[in-house]
Amino acid sequence: MKEKINWPVSILIALGSLLILVPLYITITIALKSPQDLAESALSLPLNFHWENFTKAIETTNFFIALKNSTVITVFTLIFTILSNSLVAYAIARNMHSKVFRYLYYYFVSALFIPFPIIMLPIVKQTSALGLNNSAGLILLYVVYGMAMNIFIYVGYIRSIPVELEEAAIVDGCTTWGVFWKVIFPLLTPINATVGILTCLWAWNDFLMPLIILSDSADATLPLVQYVFQTEFGTDYNLAFASYLLAMAPMVIVYLFAQKWIIGGVVKGAIK
C-alpha cells in the first residue's frame, strides 16, 4: 500500500525548521561580511568571505581563556551533578513509601516553579560573603539549582528498575553503597547521558548566573565575553556574530551527536 503524506505535520515540521535555519543563515552571513556589505543588506550572501572576522573576534574576546573557563566550569559541573544528584534521587526513589522522602521529593521538584530573578539578589550577597563569587561557587550553584529537574528525571527512571535486582545483590553480600555503584549506577547510563547533556548545555550557554556571581574578569565564560562588542554607541555585528558562532560550535557538535539520548532519556524519566 502506498503511504499517505501527513501534510499538516509536514507543514509544521517545515515551518519549525525555518524558525531555526533562517536565524542561523543570517548569523553565518553577517559573520562573513564586512560592515559595508552589512549596511547594504543583512540577508544577501556576502560578496567576499571575510574570514578575518573570526580571527579578530578571537583576539578581542581572549577567546581561548574564556573557552578554558567555560570548559572547566562545565566539566566539573557535569561530574558533580551526575554523582550527587543520582545518589539523592536513588535514596528518594527507593523510599517513596515514607512520608519524609515523599515530601523531600515534592520539596526538590517545587524548586522548578521558583523564578531565578526572585532569589538572585540574596544569592549574590551570600556568595560574596562566603567568598564563593568565583568559578568554584558557580559550579556549586549549578549543581544545586540543577537538582530539581535532575531529581525529577532520575526518580522516574530509577522507579522503573526492578527492586529484585537490588535484593539479589544484597543476598550476594552487597551493601547499600555497593548495590548503588555495582547494580544501579551502570543501569543509569542512558539517563546519566541525558542529564549530562542537558547540564552541559545549561552550564555552557548560561549568561545570567556568571554575570552576577563572577567578580574577576579573568574567570569570565564565553557568554560573558560577548559583551565586548556592545559599546555605548553601537555594536560591531560582524565580529559579534563571528564570536557567537565560535562560542556556539562546541555545544552544537555535542548536541548533534547526543540528541537521541536527550529525547529518549527525558521521555523515560517522565514515565512514572
Side-chain angles (χ1 to χ4, degrees):
M1 294 179 63
K2 189 176 180 180
E3 294 185 2
K4 293 183 179 180
I5 299 175
N6 191 330
W7 286 109
V9 174
S10 300
I11 292 171
L12 286 175
I13 292 174
L15 292 175
S17 300
L18 286 175
L19 290 175
I20 298 171
L21 294 176
V22 171
L24 182 60
Y25 164 79
I26 294 174
T27 302
I28 295 173
T29 54
I30 291 177
L32 293 172
K33 287 181 177 179
S34 65
Q36 293 75 21
D37 293 337
L38 179 59
E40 294 177 3
S41 175
L43 297 177
S44 63
L45 288 170
L47 299 176
N48 297 301
F49 294 105
H50 293 269
W51 299 104
E52 68 274 9
N53 288 344
F54 291 92
T55 305
K56 292 178 182 177
I58 289 172
E59 295 172 352
T60 304
T61 59
N62 289 323
F63 176 79
F64 293 107
I65 294 176
L67 177 64
K68 181 201 72 175
N69 294 336
S70 288
T71 302
V72 169
I73 290 171
T74 301
V75 169
F76 279 99
T77 299
L78 171 64
I79 294 171
F80 292 135
T81 294
I82 290 178
L83 293 179
S84 61
N85 290 193
S86 60
L87 278 168
V88 174
Y90 174 66
I92 292 175
R94 286 300 184 244
N95 294 279
M96 286 292 280
H97 56 275
S98 167
K99 284 186 178 180
V100 174
F101 284 92
R102 196 180 308 127
Y103 288 144
L104 274 176
Y105 174 71
Y106 295 141
Y107 172 75
F108 282 121
V109 173
S110 65
L112 291 171
F113 304 99
I114 301 176
F116 181 72
I118 292 178
I119 57 176
M120 185 169 64
L121 289 179
I123 289 171
V124 174
K125 292 185 68 176
Q126 195 65 42
T127 52
S128 179
L130 295 173
L132 291 175
N133 50 348
N134 49 37
S135 298
L138 187 60
I139 292 169
L140 177 62
L141 289 175
Y142 279 139
V143 174
V144 172
Y145 290 128
M147 195 173 286
M149 174 61 76
N150 295 338
I151 285 179
F152 174 72
I153 297 173
Y154 269 125
V155 167
Y157 188 84
I158 291 172
R159 293 183 68 189
S160 68
I161 298 174
V163 181
E164 290 75 14
L165 292 174
E166 300 168 49
E167 294 173 347
I170 292 172
V171 170
D172 289 337
C174 266
T175 62
T176 303
W177 186 259
V179 167
F180 178 78
W181 289 114
K182 295 179 181 179
V183 178
I184 299 300
F185 195 75
L187 295 175
L188 294 179
T189 300
I191 210 71
N192 282 338
T194 300
V195 170
I197 294 161
L198 293 175
T199 300
C200 283
L201 292 173
W202 175 39
W204 185 274
N205 294 319
D206 187 36
F207 173 76
L208 183 57
M209 200 180 299
L211 177 66
I212 64 172
I213 296 298
L214 298 177
S215 59
D216 190 347
S217 59
D219 295 330
T221 59
L222 282 173
L224 285 184
V225 297
Q226 314 301 324
Y227 244 172
V228 300
F229 300 106
Q230 186 171 348
T231 65
E232 183 180 354
F233 303 102
T235 302
D236 191 337
Y237 289 105
N238 302 98
L239 298 187
F241 278 59
S243 181
Y244 299 157
L245 288 174
L246 288 170
M248 180 177 64
M251 284 299 108
V252 169
I253 294 171
V254 169
Y255 186 83
L256 288 175
F257 280 103
Q259 58 180 325
K260 62 179 180 180
W261 286 310
I262 297 178
I263 298 169
V266 170
V267 172
K268 289 177 183 177
I271 288 175
K272 288 188 176 284

